[in-house]
Amino acid sequence: MSSPSLSATAVPTAPAAPAAADPPSPARQGLAALTLAAIGVVYGDIGTSPLYTLKEVFLPATGVALTPANLIGAVSAIFWALMLVVTLKYVLLVLRADNRGEGGVLALTALAAQAVAGRPRLRSALLLLGVAGATLFYGDSIITPAISVLGAMEGLTVVTPAFTPWVLPLSLAVLVGLFMVQRFGTAAVGRWFGPVIVLWFGALAAVGVLQILREPAILAALNPLRAWQFLTGRGWHVLAAVGAIVLALTGAEALYADMGHFGRRPIQWTWCALVMPSLALNYLGQGALLIADQSAIANPFFRLFPTAWVLPAVLLATLAAIIASQAVISGAFSLTRQAMQLGFLPRVALRHTSAQAEGQIYLPAVNRVLLLGVLGAVLGFGSSSALAGAYGIAVTLTMLITTVLTWFVVRGTWRLPATLAIVATGGFLAIDALLVAGCAIKFFEGGWFPLAVGALLFGLMSTWSRGRALLTDRLRRDGLTLEPFIESIAGAQLPRTERTVVYPVADCSTVPQALLHNLKHNQVLHQRNVVLTVVFHEQAWVPESERLALEALGHGFWRVRLHFGFMDNPDVPRALALASAGGLLLEPLATSYFLSRETVVPMAGPAGGTSMALARKRLFAAMCQGAGSAAAYFGLPDNAVVELGARVQI
């Protein structure tokens, strides 16, 4: 396996004054098709929250009595949480903080880092904060499918208690099937799921309206004062209620993470026109039902339906739960791709699932890991109520991190006045802090699980990033400066072959190790030698006009830098074809790629003036061995790649 030093270089800032580069995903597809696909992928998570949210608010552990006043107050708190956190924060504010069309916490981190590029310590802190947010999103990606599918399957017990033993096996079967269809891509999945989720939201609204008509007193919940009275009247016990109310907001972060798949407008329009009204009507309907019949608290969602409709409702809820899982799965794929190209994760195999949409991808390894994690969560917790204890803390911490990063974008990139920036983000920061506190009290009830997942991934990502820096530094210190080396061999009578060879390296100022090995063992040079560095920038897309920088070094040597955004497809042969405009013609059949394949040897003690624990160095070495092929990642032709190995101590 090739070492990380060959993969790419991640740099802190984008090229100067980049030309506008529209993200290729949404622009090339019809808005109607994207809107339907967005409904089928993005909103499943938040759309299935009515399955369990209101029931969790009135569990004995929260201490909230099941009274009409509390019902109105709880529904009011849920409604206004949706309005403030999802509508105002995410749909209207955060979705505008797109990194050339791409969303997600890492895309936002890149924007925030660019905004403070002149303050290196703050920039480093923001990068670490963004990585922490990314790792927490993975924890959410494990819990969301588990709780959504379990919550839907538990509706079978409303039909008859005889179905109780089948809840777990059926949930596991549904989840395995869901992850198996990921290979077909989010566009295909979205087309299948779009009509189903439209029917789901229609059903949510219809049964909610029926109950509201029977008990219109619940409409008092639309008054924000009822939410305020409900929350402030509980004292510190409000945290328990908040920890349950936050379940209605899960999936909000997925709206932002999935923006690269579908674009901002389809997500905004579907939320305002369909999703938010349907959710509001359903929560109001559940509250109205419970005012009239408190015994329905056992499962208020399925009790909204007439008895004859319960089984069809369970089937529809199961499909909606599958869709709920899709939102975070596709978000995890996008996040992993960003992390790889920003230098926080090793390469893994990546497949593009759409010829028109660059952002629609499938990562088999990530899919397998998520499936194992989800199945483990289902078996370990066993019920949606048990999982509710674990659910929320990862989501709310990610929301808090998103708000902090948005502040730097609003202030540093958008250049809004400080007062306006504080108004835009300060209130959301206070709400997020309250939500985090409400979920933190559930730490020992399962909240530790997503935090443990996040801590593990943070350790892996920080180790990979630090290890890459140590390895690159070691290669730079041990290497020879390129220009003097070229001059030293200019007069040597070395035989030259009539081919072009490309040497991909992390640092194009030093002599590639593969070139030295070629000279040592083969005693030959090629007529044209290209020293190549691939640079990934903290922007989603780099325009093709700025893709290649070419420098002629003389004596048959050229230095080439290829610039990509963290969502660009790094097709190196295609990008190198642009060099013909600068006088370097690379014939595909006469070009070879010589890769240095470094084997990392962990050593105790500091390396290059910086240090990393020996255990982390060993972990980094193992990650290097497991990293995907550089040749495949950069689209190099299999029959033109030569790998030459070396051992490097760090």
Side-chain angles (χ1 to χ4, degrees):
M1 301 298 174
S2 56
S3 84
S5 66
L6 294 175
S7 61
T9 301
V11 296
T13 57
D22 293 331
S25 346
R28 298 180 185 176
Q29 299 189 55
L31 187 58
L34 277 171
T35 301
L36 181 62
I39 294 173
V41 171
V42 176
Y43 290 111
D45 187 0
I46 201 166
T48 52
S49 296
L51 284 168
Y52 42 77
T53 298
L54 197 59
K55 177 179 68 174
E56 296 298 321
V57 174
F58 291 95
L59 286 180
T62 65
V64 180
L66 189 59
T67 64
N70 283 341
L71 279 166
I72 293 173
V75 172
S76 181
I78 292 172
F79 174 80
W80 286 103
L82 289 170
M83 287 294 296
L84 293 174
V85 176
V86 184
T87 305
L88 294 183
K89 176 183 169 181
Y90 279 94
V91 174
L92 297 183
L93 176 63
V94 176
L95 283 179
R96 294 183 179 275
D98 65 290
N99 198 321
R100 300 205 173 184
E102 192 62 30
V105 66
L106 281 182
L108 184 63
T109 300
L111 285 177
Q114 290 177 30
V116 297
R119 303 161 68 183
R121 289 188 178 180
L122 178 58
R123 179 184 172 278
S124 298
L126 292 180
L127 287 173
L128 287 176
L129 188 64
V131 171
T135 61
L136 290 169
F137 185 84
Y138 285 110
D140 182 33
S141 300
I142 290 175
I143 297 177
T144 293
I147 192 173
S148 299
V149 173
L150 272 174
M153 286 300 175
E154 286 167 355
L156 291 171
T157 61
V158 177
V159 179
T160 171
F163 280 127
T164 301
W166 291 94
V167 169
L168 272 181
L170 288 174
S171 297
L172 295 174
V174 167
L175 288 165
V176 170
L178 169 66
F179 281 90
M180 288 181 65
V181 303
Q182 293 304 312
R183 68 188 66 186
F184 299 111
T186 52
V189 172
R191 285 195 298 270
W192 298 339
F193 288 165
V196 175
I197 205 69
V198 169
L199 178 61
W200 169 255
F201 282 119
L204 291 185
V207 295
V209 168
L210 289 175
Q211 296 297 331
I212 293 169
L213 292 175
R214 294 172 183 171
E215 196 65 50
I218 192 63
L219 292 175
L222 298 177
N223 183 350
L225 291 178
R226 300 304 293 266
W228 177 258
Q229 293 165 359
F230 173 77
L231 295 173
T232 57
R234 319 224 68 76
W236 69 269
H237 294 287
V238 70
L239 296 180
V242 168
I245 291 169
V246 76
L247 297 175
L249 307 175
T250 55
E253 191 68 29
L255 270 66
Y256 186 42
D258 283 330
M259 183 166 60
H261 290 257
F262 305 105
R264 173 161 54 96
R265 285 187 178 180
I267 293 175
Q268 290 178 323
W269 289 359
T270 50
W271 172 259
C272 295
L274 175 66
V275 180
M276 177 60 190
S278 300
L279 290 175
L281 289 171
N282 192 264
Y283 283 120
L284 289 167
Q286 288 189 48
L289 170 67
L290 291 172
I291 289 176
D293 180 10
Q294 294 189 1
S295 67
I297 192 60
N299 202 319
F301 177 80
F302 286 106
R303 289 287 296 273
L304 288 173
F305 295 86
T307 304
W309 292 8
V310 172
L311 188 56
V314 171
L315 296 176
L316 183 59
T318 302
L319 292 175
I322 294 172
I323 298 165
S325 307
Q326 183 61 52
V328 291
I329 294 171
S330 56
F333 290 162
S334 293
L335 199 63
T336 303
R337 184 190 193 188
Q338 295 171 17
M340 286 192 298
Q341 299 194 168
L342 287 172
F344 292 117
L345 282 176
R347 292 178 301 270
V348 296
L350 182 151
R351 301 177 192 170
H352 292 273
T353 59
S354 171
Q356 290 78 35
E358 181 75 19
Q360 295 181 9
I361 55 175
Y362 167 63
L363 286 77
V366 175
N367 197 57
R368 289 193 294 271
V369 171
L370 285 179
L371 173 59
L372 292 176
V374 170
L375 296 182
V378 170
L379 293 172
F381 287 91
S383 70
S384 62
S385 290
L387 270 167
Y391 207 26
I393 190 166
V395 180
T396 53
L397 281 171
T398 307
M399 289 178 174
L400 181 64
I401 290 171
T402 296
T403 302
V404 172
L405 295 173
T406 302
W407 155 264
F408 290 98
V409 174
V410 170
R411 187 77 178 100
T413 303
W414 297 353
R415 303 294 183 184
L416 294 184
T419 303
L420 187 57
I422 291 172
V423 171
T425 58
F428 296 133
L429 192 66
I431 294 173
D432 291 337
L434 176 63
L435 296 177
V436 170
C439 293
I441 65 173
K442 300 188 291 183
F443 179 83
F444 294 105
E445 299 172 19
W448 59 269
F449 177 72
L451 295 182
V453 171
L456 174 63
L457 289 171
F458 185 83
L460 291 174
M461 293 172 78
S462 59
T463 297
W464 180 257
S465 178
R466 184 65 175 275
R468 275 171 45 91
L470 291 179
L471 181 55
T472 301
D473 182 65
R474 169 63 70 180
L475 291 171
R476 182 181 295 113
R477 288 188 296 110
D478 293 347
L480 302 174
T481 305
L482 183 59
E483 286 86 347
F485 172 80
I486 294 173
E487 293 297 329
S488 70
I489 64 172
Q493 299 300 314
L494 290 171
R496 291 191 177 234
T497 63
E498 287 292 337
R499 285 185 67 83
T500 300
V501 64
V502 178
Y503 295 99
V505 293
D507 182 5
C508 60
S509 67
T510 59
V511 181
Q513 291 291 316
L515 173 57
L516 294 176
H517 286 306
N518 188 38
L519 286 175
K520 177 180 178 181
H521 297 292
N522 300 323
Q523 298 291 306
V524 67
L525 271 177
H526 291 75
Q527 287 289 355
R528 292 165 297 279
N529 300 272
V530 179
V531 181
L532 169 70
T533 296
V534 177
V535 183
F536 287 107
H537 293 278
E538 289 175 352
Q539 63 185 63
W541 316 95
V542 170
E544 194 162 287
S545 61
E546 299 179 9
R547 179 76 67 223
L548 181 141
L550 176 65
E551 180 183 359
L553 302 176
H555 309 293
F557 280 83
W558 283 264
R559 178 157 44 208
V560 173
R561 292 182 177 88
L562 296 181
H563 299 276
F564 294 98
F566 60 76
M567 290 304 295
D568 280 316
N569 178 26
D571 188 335
V572 166
R574 179 182 175 185
L576 284 176
L578 300 172
S580 60
L584 175 61
L585 181 63
L586 285 81
E587 293 287 348
L589 296 180
T591 301
S592 299
Y593 297 85
F594 279 38
L595 305 183
S596 298
R597 179 180 176 180
E598 285 94 4
T599 298
V600 175
V601 181
M603 302 293 291
T610 59
S611 63
M612 187 165 71
L614 181 59
R616 293 183 67 194
K617 291 180 181 179
R618 289 172 175 165
L619 174 61
F620 173 67
M623 294 172 75
C624 289
Q625 290 298 315
S629 165
Y633 189 76
F634 291 108
L636 307 183
D638 292 334
N639 60 355
V641 173
V642 178
E643 289 191 353
L644 299 172
R647 293 170 65 84
V648 181
Q649 295 180 349
I650 64 168

